[in-house]
C-alpha cells in the first residue's frame, strides 16, 4: 500500500517514500521496533545519507561499466567499523558554540581524556580535545560572538583512539586576475618525482625528488605488520592492527604534508597554474591495457594525485589564482560588457595574446573545455589557442605522438559528446579544428579519420555532414600551411573518399525528400486520375502546349513534324513543387547540397561518383520553389549549374538528356502557368529565378546541338515554354539573362547556316524556326516600348542618385548588349524590318502630329520608343548597305523619318516620369549616332548618283537637311555637338559630297573661326576636319583646274584663321590684360592647324600637299620661335623645381598639380624622337633621377597622378630614345661604333628608378612598371643586353622573388611570374651560380637542411618557359609552409 501510494500520488521526493517505508517497518516488524523513540532528525539524516550513498554508487558503477573497472557495492553502517562518524547540524548549534566532554561522551571517554582543567607546573592550563577555548583561535573557530553556518562531522577512530572534528566553514575567495605578464606554471605529475613544474619566467624544477622511497619503506613495514598480524595469536592481533593503523596514518600524514606544502608554494608563487588530468586510476587498470609494473603503480597511487588536484583547486580558488572562472569573467568583460572601455579591451586582448604564446597554454585550455561552467567565449578562446598552436605539434619535438593522440582524442570526443549543446560558432570552430588535425595526420597517424566521421551518422547526422563539408573544403584549400606535395596527397585521398561522401549526401536528401515532400497528403487530390503524361497533380498545374496560343518555335530537322503531346515522364517519380522542410531537416538538406556543390566544382565526373543518381536527386530539390523550400531549390540549382558548366556528357547521354527535358519542361510549365491570372514566376524568389535562368543558359549553350540532333528531345515544346518563361518576367536581370539565352540560340543557328554547304537544305532549316524567332524579336521590341509596356518600364528608376548610371540606363545598356533583334534580322531581314518600320511610322507620326500640351506624357512615351527603335535600326544599317538597290526606298523613308525627328523641338511640359530636357538631348544624341552608322549607305547612294544624275535630287534631299541640322546643333550640349560634328566629319570624309556651294555652308564658313573658339576641343577638331575634307577630298577623278580652285578657296578660308596668328608672331606678345585674349587666339589657331594636318594624315599626296601649302607659312615662324623658347623654358623650370623647391611645393595641392602638369609637359617633349631633342634629354634624365625620384618614392606625399605620369615618362624615355643608350645597330655593323652602350650611367639610373618602384606597396604603379619592363623586352630584347644582364638582371629577379614569397602583391602573382620567367631564362647559368646560393643563405637561414635543399631544387630545376611558372608556384607555396614550420620549431 505504501509503495502504491508512492507511485500514484507522491513522486516528489525519495525521502518521502523511504520515510513512509521505514515508518511502516517500525510499526509492523520487531527488527525495526527499537527506532520508535529515535528523534525525527536522526532518522532524516540516516535516510538522506542512505539515498546519497545509493545514488553515488549507481553513478560510479555507470562509469565503471564504460571503463571496465570493478563495481562498487553499497554497504550498511555497522558498529564494527573502525571509524564512526556523526553529523552535527548547523541549525542545532547554539551561540556561542562550546563543546563539553561531559555532555558529548560517557565517563570512560572523559576519564581517558584526563582532567579538564589540569595545569602542569609552570605551564599553561591543559585543555582537553574539542574544548572551546582551545579551538577558539584556530581554523576559523567561532568565538562567543560567532555563528555556525555549515554542518560539521565528528569522527572517532577506534584503532588510533583519535577524535577528529571536521569543521566546515565558508570564506570569500579572492578575485583572481590575469596580469599583463602573468606568472604561469605548468605541472606534470609523476612517480619518482611527485611533480615537475615549468614556468617561462621562473624556470623549471621538481618536487619530492625520490621522496617516494621513504614512503615506500613505510609501506613495506606496513606489509610486514600485515603479515605478522595474520600469523599472530588472537590476543595480539588487536595490537598489531592498531600498529597498522598508526603506520598507515603516518604514510597519509607524509603525503598530505607534501600536498599542502606544494599547494601553498604554487598558489603563492604563480598567477596561472596549468594542471593536466593525470588519470592514475585509468593507468592502473589491467583491463585497459596497463603498461606499468606493480611497484610503479603502487608508488603512483600512494602519491594520491587526485586528492592533490582537489586540494590545489580549492586552495587556488581561495587564494585567487587564475582558474576557469577568472578567464570566463575576462572574456565576458571583453565580449559582452558594453561598459568596457577601448583601453581596457586593448589590455585584455594583450593579456589573452600573451597567454596564447605560453608553451603549456594548451593544457590549461583542455581543463577549461572540460569545466562545466566554461562560457561559450572561453570555449571559443580555448579552441583558438589549439588552432594557433596546432602547427607546432608537427615540428621537431614540440609534442610527442602520444600527446598528439591524447589531444586529438580529447577534441574528437568533446565534439562528439557536446556538439548539440555548444553554440554554433564554437561547434563550427571545434569541427574545423578536428578536420585540421585530420588534414595533418590522415592517413599516416589517423588512418580511421574518415571512418570515424562516417560512424557519427548514427549518433549525430548533422555533425557527420558538417565534418564532411569541412573535409571537402579544407582538403582542397590552397593555404600555405601544408606543402604542395601534401596538397596533392590530400586531393588524392579525397578523391578516394568522394563516392562515399556523395552517397551519404544522397541518402540524406532522399530520406528527407521522401519523409517531408512525398508524405501522403491529408486528403486525396481531385485530379489524381488525369492523364499522367501531362504531369497534372495537386502541386503541378499544367497546360497542353496547344493551349498556350504561342507561335511555333520549330523543331529538329531530323523530325518529321511537330510534336502533338508534351514530353512524358521517363520515370515513375512524382514531381512536386512544394512541401515543408524545416528545423534539422532543412539544415541537413543545406549541408548535403553544399557538399555536392563543393565536390561537383572540381571532382572528375566518373562513373564511381554516381552522377546519374546525383542528377535525379538534385532535380527533385530543384523543383521546390515555394516560400518554405525555395532555399533548398536555389541550392539545388547551384549544384546543377556547377555540373552543367563543366559540359558533362555521360555515356548514357540520351537518358541524361531525357531526364533534363522532363524536369526542365515540367518546371517551365509550372512557373509559366497563368490559370490563376498571374504566372507563378511573378512572385518567385529572384535568386531562384536567376539560377534557373543560368541553368537554361548553360543547357542551351552547351547541349542545344545534341538536343536538336536527338529525335526524342521535345525541342519545340522546350522553345515554346522558354518563350513564355522569358516574356512572363518583369524587366529585371533574369529577363536580360533570358534574352542572352535566345542570343546564344541565334548564334547557334547563324553558325550552322554559315557552315552548311547545301543552300536548299539551309533555307529549309532556317525556315523551320522563322515564326518563332521573329515572334521573339517582335516581343523584345514591344517590351522596350513605353506605349506597349509602360507600366513595367515606369517602375524602373531613372534617377542616378549619385551613381554613374541610373537603373533605366543600366537596363537599356544591357539590352543593347544582347542583340536579339539584329541577329534575328540577319536570318529573317524582311520580317524584322517590316515590324520595325511599322514601329517607326507609328511613333514618328505621333511625334509629328501631337501638338496638345496636355498629351505631353504620351509624347514622351513615343519619343522614348522612337529612341529605342532608332538604336535597333542603327545596328541593322549593314543590311541596307549590303543590298542597296532593293532597300533604297525603305532606307530613304527611314532616314527621312529620323531627320524629321531631329528637327522637333524639345518637349518642355513636365511629366511624372523622365526629365523632358534630358529626353530631348538623348533623342538628338542617339539620332545623330544612328545617322552616322548609315554613312556607308550614303556613300553607296553617292556612287549611284555619280552614275545616274536623276538620283541627285533625292540624294540632296536627304543630305542637305541632315547637314543643316548638324550645323545648328554644334552649339548644343557637349555630347550632342560632338555627335553632330562627328556626323559632319563622316559625311565629308566618307561620302565626299560637293556641298561647298550650299548657302548654309558658305554662311557657316564666314563665322566658323569666331564661333568655334567656344567649342569643346573634340568638337573643334571634328569641325576643322570636316572643313578640310570638303576642300581636299573631292569625289571621284577631278581635273587639275578644280584642284587648284579648291586649293585657292581653302587658302582664302585659312587666311581668316592664320592671318591674325601670323601678325601675333611677327610682333611682340602682349602683356597685361590683353595677354589672355592673345593666348586664346594662339591656342585656337594651333588646334585648328593640328586638326587640318591630322585630317590628311592617311590621305593621298594631293591632299597632303594642299594642306601643307596652307600651313607652311605658319609653321616656319612657329618653329623658329620654339627652337629657342623650348630649351630656355625647360631649363627655367628645371632650375625652379630643384629638390628643395619640389619639397616645398608638394606640401600644397597647387604644388602637386603644378608638378603633375610639368611632368606631362616633359612627357610630351620626350615624344619627340628627332636629333634636335637629344641635347635636352640628359637634363631631363638628370632631373628625373636626381630630383623627382626622391619625391616620388616617398609614399607619404599625395601625388598619385604625378607618380603614375612620372613612371610613364621614364618608360617613354627608354622606349622612344633607345638609340640614345644603345646606338644604331647599323653603325656597329659597319664599324662606326664599337660600344654596345653609349650612356650606361643614365640607363642604370633610369632602371634603378623602375626597380625602386617594385619596393613600394602601390599595386597600380607595380603593374604599370612591370608592363613597362615587358614592353621594353618585347620591343628591344632588353633582358638580353649585356649591361642589363651584368648589372640589373639578378637585382630585378631577387626583388620579384621577394614579392612573390612575401605575397605583397599577390593579386599580380601571375604577371610577376610571367615577368620573372623571362628574366631568369635570359641568363640561366648566372641565375643558378650567383642568385640561388645567396637567396638560400639569406631567405632560408632559419629552415632545416632538407627544406633548403627543396628550395634549391625548385630554383635549379628551371629550364624553360614551360616548367618555370610551375616551379615558381610550388616554391611560393612550399616556402610559406617551410617558414611557418621553422618559426614553430624554434
Amino acid at each position: 500500500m505504501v509503495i502504491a501510494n508512492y507511485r500514484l500520488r507522491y513522486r516528489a521526493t525519495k525521502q518521502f517514500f523511504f520515510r513512509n517505508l521505514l515508518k511502516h517497518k517500525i510499526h509492523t516488524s520487531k527488527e525495526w521496533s527499537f527506532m520508535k523513540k529515535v528523534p525525527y532528525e536522526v532518522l532524516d539524516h540516516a535516510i538522506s545519507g542512505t539515498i546519497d550513498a545509493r545514488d553515488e554508487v549507481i553513478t560510479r558503477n555507470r562509469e565503471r561499466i564504460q571503463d571496465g573497472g570493478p563495481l562498487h557495492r553499497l554497504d550498511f553502517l555497522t558498529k564494527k567499523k573502525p571509524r564512526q562518524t556523526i553529523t552535527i547540524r548547523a541549525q542545532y548549534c547554539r551561540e556561542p558554540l562550546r563543546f563539553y566532554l561531559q555532555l558529548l561522551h560517557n565517563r570512560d571517554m572523559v576519564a581517558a581524556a584526563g582532567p579538564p582543567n589540569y595545569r602542569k607546573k609552570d605551564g599553561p592550563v591543559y585543555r582537553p580535545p574539542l574544548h572551546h577555548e582551545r579551538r577558539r583561535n584556530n581554523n576559523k573557530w567561532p568565538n562567543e560572538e560567532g555563528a555556525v553556518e555549515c554542518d560539521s562531522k565528528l569522527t572517532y577512530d577506534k584503532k588510533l583512539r583519535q577524535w577528529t572534528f571536521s569543521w566546515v566553514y565558508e570564506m570569500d575567495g579572492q578575485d583572481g586576475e590575469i596580469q599583463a605578464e602573468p606568472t604561469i606554471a605548468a605541472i606534470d605529475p609523476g612517480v619518482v618525482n611527485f611533480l615537475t613544474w615549468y614556468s617561462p619566467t621562473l624556470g623549471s624544477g621538481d618536487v619530492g625528488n625520490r621522496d617516494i622511497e621513504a614512503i615506500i619503506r613505510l609501506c613495506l613495514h606496513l606489509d610486514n605488520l600485515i603479515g605478522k598480524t595474520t600469523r599472530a595469536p588472537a590476543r595480539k592481533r588487536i595490537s598489531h592492527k592498531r600498529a597498522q593503523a598508526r603506520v598507515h596514518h603516518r604514510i597519509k600524514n607524509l603525503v598530505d604534508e607534501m600536498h599542502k606544502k606544494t599547494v601553498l608554494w604554487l598558489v603563492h608563487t604563480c598567477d596561472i597554474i596549468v594542471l593536466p588530468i593525470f588519470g592514475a586510476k585509468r593507468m592502473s587498470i589491467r583491463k585497459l591495457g596497463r603498461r606499468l609494473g606493480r611497484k610503479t603503480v603502487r608508488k603512483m597511487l600512494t602519491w594520491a594525485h587526485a586528492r592533490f588536484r582537489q586540494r590545489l583547486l580549492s586552495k587556488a580558488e581561495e587564494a585567487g589564482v587564475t582558474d576557469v572562472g577568472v578567464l570566463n569573467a575576462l572574456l565576458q568583460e571583453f565580449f559582452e560588457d558594453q561598459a568596457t572601455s577601448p583601453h581596457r579591451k586593448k589590455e585584455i586582448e594583450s593579456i589573452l595574446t600573451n597567454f596564447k604564446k605560453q608553451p603549456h597554454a594548451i593544457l590549461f585550455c583542455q581543463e577549461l573545455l572540460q569545466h562545466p561552467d566554461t562560457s561559450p567565449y572561453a570555449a571559443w578562446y580555448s579552441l583558438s589557442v589549439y588552432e594557433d598552436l596546432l602547427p607546432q605539434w608537427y615540428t621537431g619535438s614540440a609534442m610527442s605522438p602520444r600527446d598528439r593522440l591524447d589531444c586529438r582524442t580529447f577534441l574528437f570526443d568533446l565534439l562528439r559528446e557536446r556538439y548539440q549543446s555548444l553554440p554554433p560558432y564554437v561547434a563550427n570552430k571545434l569541427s574545423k579544428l578536428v578536420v585540421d588535425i585530420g588534414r595533418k595526420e590522415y592517413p599516416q597517424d589517423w588512418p580511421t579519420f574518415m571512418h570515424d566521421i562516417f560512424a557519427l551518422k548514427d549518433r549525430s547526422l548533422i555533425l557527420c555532414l558538417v565534418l564532411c563539408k569541412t573535409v571537402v573544403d579544407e582538403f582542397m584549400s590552397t593555404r600555405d600551411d601544408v606543402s604542395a606535395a601534401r596538397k596533392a596527397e590530400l586531393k588524392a585521398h579525397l578523391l578516394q573518399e568522394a563516392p562515399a561522401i556523395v552517397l551519404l549526401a544522397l541518402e540524406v536528401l532522399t530520406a528527407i525528400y521522401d519523409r517531408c515532400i512525398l508524405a501522403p497528403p491529408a486528403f486525396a487530390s481531385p485530379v489524381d486520375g488525369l492523364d499522367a503524361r501531362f504531369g497534372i497533380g495537386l502541386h503541378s498545374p499544367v497546360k497542353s502546349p496547344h493551349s498556350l496560343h504561342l507561335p511555333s518555335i520549330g523543331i529538329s530537322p531530323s523530325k518529321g513534324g511537330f510534336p502533338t503531346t508534351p514530353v512524358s515522364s521517363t520515370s515513375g517519380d512524382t514531381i512536386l513543387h512544394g512541401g515543408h522542410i524545416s528545423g534539422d531537416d532543412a539544415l541537413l538538406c543545406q549541408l548535403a547540397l553544399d557538399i555536392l556543390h563543393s565536390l561537383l566544382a572540381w571532382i572528375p565526373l566518373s562513373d564511381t561518383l554516381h552522377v546519374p543518381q546525383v542528377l535525379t536527386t538534385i532535380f527533385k530539390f530543384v523543383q521546390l520553389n515555394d516560400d518554405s523550400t525555395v532555399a533548398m531549390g536555389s541550392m539545388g540549382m547551384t549544384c546543377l549549374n556547377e555540373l552543367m558548366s563543366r559540359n558533362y556528357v555521360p555515356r548514357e547521354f540520351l537518358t541524361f538528356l531525357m531526364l533534363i527535358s522532363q524536369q526542365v519542361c515540367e518546371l517551365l510549365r509550372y512557373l509559366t502557368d497563368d490559370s490563376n491570372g498571374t504566372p507563378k514566376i511573378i512572385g518567385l524568389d529572384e535568386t531562384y529565378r536567376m539560377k534557373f535562368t543560368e541553368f537554361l543558359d548553360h543547357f542551351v549553350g552547351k547541349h542545344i546541338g545534341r538536343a536538336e540532333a536527338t529525335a526524342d528531345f521535345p525541342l519545340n515544346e522546350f522553345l515554346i515554354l522558354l518563350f513564355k518563361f522569358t516574356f512572363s518576367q518583369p524587366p529585371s536581370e533574369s529577363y536580360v539573362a533570358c534574352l542572352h539565352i535566345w542570343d546564344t540560340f541565334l548564334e547557334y543557328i547563324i553558325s550552322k547556316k554559315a557552315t552548311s554547304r547545301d543552300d536548299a537544305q539551309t533555307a529549309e532549316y532556317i525556315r523551320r524556326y522563322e515564326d518563332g524567332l521573329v515572334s521573339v524579336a517582335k516581343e523584345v521590341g514591344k517590351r522596350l516600348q513605353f506605349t506597349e509596356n509602360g507600366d513595367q518600364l515606369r517602375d524602373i528608376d531613372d534617377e542616378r542618385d549619385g551613381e554613374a548610371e541610373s537603373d533605366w540606363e543600366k537596363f537599356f545598356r544591357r539590352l543593347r548588349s544582347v542583340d536579339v533583334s539584329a541577329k534575328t534580322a540577319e536570318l529573317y531581314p524582311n520580317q524584322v524590318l517590316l515590324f520595325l518600320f511599322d514601329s517607326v511610322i507609328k511613333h514618328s507620326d505621333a511625334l509629328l502630329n501631337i501638338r496638345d500640351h496636355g498629351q505631353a506624357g504620351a509624347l514622351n512615351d513615343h519619343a522614348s520608343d522612337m529612341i529605342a527603335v532608332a538604336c535597333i535600326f542603327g545596328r541593322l544599317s549593314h543590311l541596307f548597305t549590303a543590298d542597296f538597290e532593293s532597300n533604297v526606298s525603305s532606307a530613304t523613308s527611314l532616314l527621312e523619318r529620323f531627320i524629321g525627328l531631329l528637327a522637333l523641338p524639345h518637349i518642355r511640359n513636365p511629366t511624372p516620369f523622365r526629365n523632358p530636357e534630358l529626353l530631348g538631348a538623348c533623342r538628338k544624341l542617339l539620332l545623330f549616332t544612328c545617322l552616322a552608322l548609315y554613312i556607308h549607305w550614303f556613300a553607296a547612294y553617292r556612287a549611284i548618283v555619280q552614275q545616274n544624275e536623276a538620283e541627285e535630287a533625292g540624294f540632296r534631299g536627304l543630305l542637305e537637311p541632315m547637314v543643316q541640322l548638324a550645323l545648328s546643333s554644334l552649339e548644343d550640349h557637349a555630347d550632342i555637338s560632338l555627335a553632330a560634328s562627328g556626323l559632319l566629319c563622316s559625311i565629308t570624309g566618307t561620302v565626299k559630297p560637293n556641298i561647298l556651294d550650299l548657302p548654309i555652308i558658305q554662311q557657316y564658313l564666314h563665322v566658323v573661326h569666331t564661333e568655334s573658339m567656344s567649342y569643346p576641343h573634340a568638337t573643334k577638331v571634328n569641325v576643322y576636319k570636316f572643313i578640310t575634307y570638303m576642300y581636299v577630298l573631292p569625289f571621284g577623278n577631278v581635273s587639275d583646274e578644280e584642284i587648284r580652285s579648291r586649293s585657292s578657296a581653302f587658302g582664302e578660308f585659312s587666311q581668316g584663321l592664320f592671318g591674325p596668328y601670323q601678325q601675333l608672331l611677327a610682333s611682340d606678345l602682349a602683356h597685361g590684360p590683353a595677354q589672355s585674349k592673345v593666348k586664346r587666339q594662339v591656342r585656337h589657331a594651333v588646334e585648328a592647324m593640328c586638326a587640318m594636318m591630322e585630317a590628311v594624315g592617311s590621305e593621298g599626296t594631293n591632299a597632303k600637299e594642299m594642306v601643307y601649302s596652307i600651313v607652311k607659312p605658319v609653321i616656319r615662324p612657329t618653329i623658329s620661335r620654339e627652337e629657342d623658347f623650348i630649351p630656355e623654358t625647360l631649363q627655367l623650370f628645371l632650375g625652379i623645381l630643384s629638390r628643395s623647391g619640389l619639397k616645398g611645393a608638394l606640401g600644397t595641392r597647387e604644388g602637386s598639380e603644378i608638378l603633375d602638369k610639368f611632368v606631362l609637359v616633359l612627357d610630351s617633349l620626350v615624344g619627340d624622337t628627332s636629333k634636335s631633342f637629344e641635347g635636352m634629354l640628359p637634363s631631363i634624365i638628370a632631373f628625373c633621377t636626381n630630383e623627382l625620384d626622391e619625391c616620388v618614392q616617398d609614399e607619404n606625399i599625395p601625388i598619385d597622378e604625378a607618380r603614375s605620369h612620372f613612371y610613364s615618362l621614364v618608360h617613354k624615355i627608354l622606349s622612344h630614345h633607345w638609340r640614345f643608350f644603345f646606338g644604331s645597330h647599323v653603325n656597329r655593323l659597319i664599324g662606326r661604333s664599337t660600344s654596345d652602350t653609349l650612356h650606361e650611367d643614365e640607363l642604370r639610373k633610369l632602371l634603378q628608378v623602375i626597380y625602386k618602384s617594385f619596393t613600394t606597396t602601390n599595386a597600380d604603379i607595380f603593374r604599370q612598371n612591370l608592363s613597362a619592363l615587358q614592353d621594353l623586352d618585347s620591343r628591344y630584347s632588353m633582358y638580353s643586353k649585356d649591361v642589363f644582364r651584368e648589372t640589373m638582371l639578378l637585382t630585378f629577379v631577387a626583388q620579384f622573388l621577394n614579392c612573390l614569397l612575401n605575397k605583397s602583391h599577390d593579386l599580380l602573382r601571375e604577371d610577376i611570374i610571367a615577368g620573372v620567367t623571362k628574366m631568369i631564362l635570359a641568363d640561366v647559368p648566372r641565375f643558378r651560380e650567383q642568385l640561388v646560393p645567396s637567396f638560400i643563405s639569406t631567405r632560408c637561414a632559419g629552415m632545416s637542411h632538407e627544406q633548403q635543399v627543396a628550395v634549391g631544387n625548385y630554383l635549379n630545376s628551371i629550364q624553360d618557359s614551360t616548367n618555370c611558372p610551375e616551379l615558381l608556384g610550388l616554391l611560393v607555396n612550399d616556402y610559406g609552409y617551410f617558414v611557418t614550420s621553422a618559426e614553430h620549431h624554434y
Side-chain angles (χ1 to χ4, degrees), residues 71-86:
L71 301 181
H72 289 280
R73 192 168 64 89
L74 183 63
D75 292 331
F76 292 96
L77 296 175
T78 64
K79 293 175 64 177
K80 295 182 180 180
K81 283 191 174 294
R83 293 172 63 87
Q84 299 289 339
T85 303
I86 62 172

Side-chain angles (χ1 to χ4, degrees), residues 303-418:
W303 276 127
H305 289 292
R307 193 164 77 243
F308 168 76
R309 178 186 179 86
Q310 297 298 326
R311 181 173 280 120
L312 177 59
L313 292 175
S314 176
K315 200 67 177 178
E317 183 179 1
E318 175 185 343
V321 178
T322 299
D323 62 352
V324 175
V326 175
L327 188 58
N328 284 340
L330 200 63
L331 290 165
Q332 188 173 9
E333 180 184 3
F334 183 84
F335 287 106
E336 292 185 351
D337 192 356
Q338 298 181 357
T340 305
S341 63
H343 177 73
R344 175 59 178 165
K345 284 190 174 183
K346 188 174 182 180
E347 181 181 352
I348 295 174
E349 185 178 2
S350 176
I351 293 171
L352 297 177
T353 303
N354 291 333
F355 176 72
K356 279 186 178 182
K357 298 177 182 178
Q358 302 302 325
H360 291 78
I362 198 169
L363 300 177
F364 183 82
C365 293
Q366 183 173 345
E367 174 67 24
L368 194 64
L369 290 170
Q370 289 179 321
H371 201 282
D373 298 331
T374 302
S375 68
Y377 297 118
W380 182 88
Y381 172 76
S382 300
L383 293 176
S384 68
V385 173
Y386 272 94
E387 196 173 40
D388 292 345
L389 297 179
L390 180 62
Q392 299 181 11
W393 295 9
Y394 307 95
T395 55
S397 59
M399 183 176 286
S400 65
R402 180 67 183 178
D403 293 336
R404 291 202 300 267
L405 175 61
D406 292 341
C407 287
R408 185 186 77 199
T409 305
F410 165 73
L411 292 173
F412 191 79
D413 292 343
L414 180 68
L415 178 64
R416 180 177 54 193
E417 300 295 335
R418 297 182 56 188

Side-chain angles (χ1 to χ4, degrees), residues 1118-1227:
T1118 303
I1119 294 178
S1120 63
R1121 276 183 169 271
E1122 290 180 351
E1123 289 177 353
D1124 299 329
F1125 174 75
I1126 292 178
E1128 294 176 0
T1129 306
L1130 179 61
Q1131 293 298 330
L1132 175 63
F1133 274 100
L1134 294 179
I1136 294 175
L1137 295 177
S1138 60
R1139 185 173 303 177
S1140 58
L1142 275 177
K1143 289 188 175 180
L1146 295 179
T1148 61
R1149 181 176 60 86
E1150 293 79 6
S1152 301
E1153 292 179 356
I1154 291 173
L1155 177 62
D1156 185 30
K1157 292 181 179 179
F1158 182 64
V1159 171
L1160 291 176
V1161 170
L1162 293 179
D1163 188 80
S1164 300
L1165 293 176
V1166 168
D1168 184 6
T1169 59
S1170 61
K1171 284 285 185 180
S1172 60
F1173 178 75
E1174 287 190 1
M1176 295 182 286
L1177 194 58
S1179 301
I1180 296 177
I1181 295 175
F1183 178 72
C1184 292
T1185 56
N1186 299 332
E1187 309 292 342
L1188 281 180
D1189 181 44
E1190 182 179 349
C1191 299
V1192 169
Q1193 293 297 330
D1194 190 354
E1195 296 186 357
N1196 296 323
I1197 302 177
I1199 51 171
D1200 293 338
E1201 293 185 2
R1203 187 176 286 112
S1204 176
H1205 295 154
F1206 167 72
Y1207 287 115
S1208 177
L1209 171 63
V1210 173
H1211 175 219
K1212 187 174 286 188
I1213 292 174
L1214 292 171
S1215 177
H1216 287 56
H1217 300 276
W1218 187 256
R1219 292 185 179 181
F1220 177 78
F1221 302 103
F1222 291 96
S1224 174
H1225 180 64
V1226 177
N1227 290 338

Side-chain angles (χ1 to χ4, degrees), residues 1312-1322 1360-1362 1364-1365 1368:
I1312 297 175
I1313 289 178
V1316 77
T1317 297
K1318 292 183 178 181
M1319 290 187 179
I1320 293 174
L1321 297 179
D1360 50 39
S1361 59
T1362 303
C1364 184
L1368 290 178

